């Protein structure tokens, strides 16, 4: 993640959380969009 901030809009957040709840690997989702796993869990 190299210290850069990435803006994720609300629609993207909802899509990521739906994919997470559907069982997709959280690490892979986080890597795909360039955010931390922790951020996904915070959004949840």
């Amino acid at each position: 993640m190299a210290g850069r901030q990435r803006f994720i809009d609300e629609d993207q957040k909802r899509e990521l959380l739906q994919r997470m709840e559907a069982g997709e690997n959280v690490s892979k989702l986080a890597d795909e969009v360039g955010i931390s796993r922790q951020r996904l869990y915070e959004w949840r």
Side-chain angles (χ1 to χ4, degrees), residues 4-43:
R4 293 191 315 190
Q5 286 189 325
R6 166 149 173 134
F7 180 77
I8 307 290
D9 66 31
E10 293 301 316
D11 290 335
Q12 290 172 311
K13 286 180 185 179
R14 278 189 223 99
E15 179 187 342
L16 290 167
L17 292 175
Q18 286 172 348
R19 291 171 62 187
M20 188 175 153
E21 294 296 321
E24 284 196 49
N25 183 288
V26 176
S27 293
K28 288 182 182 178
L29 282 174
D31 287 345
E32 180 181 313
V33 294
I35 60 174
S36 68
R37 289 179 46 221
Q38 180 180 353
R39 179 72 60 204
L40 284 172
Y41 286 114
E42 287 172 357
W43 291 342

